[in-house]
Amino acid sequence: MSSSKPIRLLLVEDSFAVARELQTLLRGVEGDALVFEHVETLGQALKLLGRGRARARFDCLLVSLRLSDAEGLVAVRRLRTSEPDAAIVVLAAPDDRALALESLRLGAQDVLVNPWLRTADVAQDLQRLIRGAMDSRRSNASRPAEASTQGATADASVASSVFTRDEESAFDLRFQPWARTVDGSIHGIEVTLGSRAAQVSPRELLSAAESRGELDALSRWLLRRVAPLWIEWRRLGIAPPRLALNVAPSELHARNFAASRLALIDELGLRPRDLQIELAEDALIGAAVKAHGELQALRDAGVRVIADNVGRSQVALLALGRLPLDGVKLDIALIQSIRLQERASRAAVRGIVGFCEELGIQCCAVGVEVEPDATVCRELGVPYIQGYWLARPQTSKAMGEWLMRWLPPAPRATPEAPLASV
């Protein structure tokens, strides 16, 4: 992918054969965009990472669980501390399943099992897996403890820039589709919000806006920016059925939240049935008592309500069953553990699928990065999938072009207009 941002990758692996194979596979798809370094031991890695700590040196660390100077999870723990901003992908043997699962709980983003994925596009699958891990780390990592006060101040100010004349250049919107598992038909697009002024994840940006009392304004701004684009896609006949936006629980506590959002939707020329709001499972359950009425009002109007990151707790699943929901998105860790052929996780996914079928609600697996992930989802009956295997998050222009290729446009009397770009 010549248009992809270059990545710096460090492989910690004592086998030269493995190192050569991985470098050859990744170089074939990344080309000059890949900066690849290889060390044989944890000690060599820590020495390398000890230099130039003013910034993160590597975007991703590929780490073997079987190093000559560090068995098991020692390397994962040490490298997570040494390089907090980098994604970690663990290299595991088939019988390292338990350790690989534990590495995810210790902060690794994904696991790669040797022998590598046996698919027709193995190099592309490896690329998607690694870049997906990088995106996951950027979205969920906390700010480093040693971050400067100046940097923290700059990040906090990002949220308020929505009120400045530079608002259009302050934020970075990314669009990622989800599809029906059985036939690949596109059923919606999720929009996430980031900052161009600083490395701030969507979660951090929402938190900063909330702490400054600007969350409502930011949410409204996002809807106003996306609405014209969605209407244009609909005019061209390429808009999927749903546009998904993430909502913070505190927004639901605002007085007349549902009524005010429905009024804005109408003002912008959108239809309630065009929209889907997503809330993290734990936050949704915590807000359920106060927000039940607001959620129901949105659903009654046609807006779909989705619980995200579902599957961490069976108790939480039971609580979700009492909420006004239209669907759930599975926690990414379930797909990662299934990739390791973890039977308990397969059983958990089957259980959630059955739970959704019983309630008549949607079920979507996220983090589907490679072809075997999609195959397993089909086998387990998961109706919808989202992840790099389908499409990575991209700009509105790139998403529009992708939709034009994926979805045949409906007949129209007017010439095709250029796609708007956010």
Side-chain angles (χ1 to χ4, degrees):
M1 291 186 180
S2 57
S3 61
S4 297
K5 180 181 177 181
I7 62 173
R8 297 181 60 86
L9 188 148
L10 174 63
L11 172 63
V12 189
E13 166 64 61
D14 58 11
S15 168
F16 279 101
V18 170
R20 185 166 54 250
E21 181 183 10
L22 286 173
Q23 183 175 18
T24 299
L25 287 169
L26 290 170
R27 186 73 70 189
V29 288
E30 293 285 356
D32 294 337
L34 175 68
V35 179
F36 188 96
E37 296 196 42
H38 170 224
V39 296
E40 299 177 61
T41 66
L42 173 62
Q44 291 172 347
L46 293 174
K47 183 178 179 180
L48 179 62
L49 295 172
R51 305 170 187 164
R53 295 303 298 151
R55 60 179 176 82
R57 182 177 177 84
F58 292 97
D59 302 302
C60 184
L61 311 178
L62 296 180
V63 184
S64 172
L65 290 178
R66 300 190 178 192
L67 299 172
S68 60
D69 63 341
E71 281 287 325
L73 300 172
V74 173
V76 176
R77 291 191 180 97
R78 297 286 302 278
L79 291 171
R80 171 49 69 223
T81 301
S82 179
E83 193 76 337
D85 293 331
I88 293 180
V89 175
V90 168
L91 305 180
D95 55 352
D96 288 334
R97 189 177 303 158
L99 287 175
L101 289 172
E102 183 62 23
S103 74
L104 297 174
R105 288 187 278 271
L106 292 177
Q109 273 61 59
D110 217 326
V111 175
L112 185 58
V113 179
N114 191 3
W116 319 125
L117 301 162
R118 297 307 182 192
T119 64
D121 299 316
V122 60
Q124 287 81 1
D125 281 343
L126 288 172
Q127 180 193 45
R128 284 191 288 264
L129 187 147
I130 289 171
R131 285 192 174 270
M134 290 164 52
D135 277 359
S136 175
R137 184 60 185 165
R138 281 193 293 267
S139 296
N140 297 299
S142 301
R143 302 291 290 171
E146 66 270 22
S148 67
T149 302
Q150 181 179 1
T153 302
D155 290 350
S157 69
V158 169
S160 65
S161 65
V162 68
F163 303 112
T164 74
R165 293 183 179 180
D166 295 330
E167 61 183 23
E168 292 191 12
S169 62
F171 297 106
D172 186 21
L173 301 185
R174 286 292 182 266
F175 299 76
Q176 187 179 38
W178 72 87
R180 188 184 295 275
T181 309
V182 295
D183 59 12
S185 57
I186 306 304
H187 276 251
I189 294 177
E190 180 179 2
V191 184
T192 55
L193 178 67
S195 163
R196 293 176 182 169
Q199 289 188 341
V200 184
S201 72
R203 185 177 300 178
E204 290 172 319
L205 185 58
L206 290 175
S207 177
E210 185 174 14
S211 67
R212 297 170 66 89
E214 297 167 353
L215 185 57
D216 181 69
L218 182 60
S219 179
R220 287 173 171 272
W221 176 88
L222 174 60
L223 196 54
R224 289 184 183 278
R225 290 293 294 142
V226 173
L229 177 68
W230 190 258
I231 292 172
E232 175 69 359
W233 285 351
R234 194 169 65 199
R235 185 185 73 81
L236 295 173
I238 61 173
R242 296 283 173 173
L243 174 68
L245 303 171
N246 291 281
V247 173
S250 59
E251 292 184 76
L252 297 176
H253 296 161
R255 187 176 182 181
N256 297 324
F257 171 78
S260 65
R261 283 300 178 272
L262 290 172
L264 180 59
I265 290 169
D266 182 65
E267 173 193 332
L268 297 175
L270 294 172
R271 303 165 301 190
R273 69 174 183 270
D274 292 332
L275 297 184
Q276 173 171 304
I277 64 169
E278 300 183 0
L279 299 96
E281 175 191 68
D282 51 355
L284 181 59
I285 292 173
V289 175
K290 294 182 179 179
H292 193 284
E294 299 296 322
L295 293 175
Q296 190 60 58
L298 290 170
R299 292 187 71 221
D300 290 344
V303 177
R304 292 175 69 87
V305 179
I306 302 295
D308 204 357
N309 307 123
V310 170
R312 300 176 184 177
S313 166
Q314 292 298 314
V315 175
L317 196 62
L318 293 175
L320 287 177
R322 294 188 285 270
L323 297 178
L325 292 178
D326 294 285
V328 304
K329 285 189 172 181
L330 301 179
D331 189 79
I332 191 171
L334 286 173
I335 301 302
Q336 292 172 330
S337 57
I338 287 175
R339 197 178 297 147
L340 292 168
Q341 300 180 355
E342 179 70 12
R343 294 177 63 187
S345 295
R346 292 175 69 96
V349 171
R350 282 198 183 95
I352 296 173
V353 170
F355 169 86
C356 292
E357 289 175 349
E358 184 68 23
L359 295 181
I361 62 177
Q362 169 186 316
C363 180
C364 179
V366 298
V368 177
E369 316 293 13
V370 292
E371 183 180 341
D373 294 346
T375 299
V376 167
C377 286
R378 283 193 292 269
E379 292 173 352
L380 297 179
V382 181
Y384 299 95
I385 55 174
Q386 180 178 348
Y388 269 49
W389 183 74
L390 182 65
R392 65 178 299 160
Q394 50 200 291
T395 64
S396 61
K397 181 178 179 180
M399 188 75 258
E401 293 170 349
W402 187 90
L403 288 170
M404 290 292 286
R405 294 191 301 269
W406 191 275
L407 299 173
R412 51 185 180 275
T414 57
E416 178 176 316
L419 291 174
S421 179
V422 174

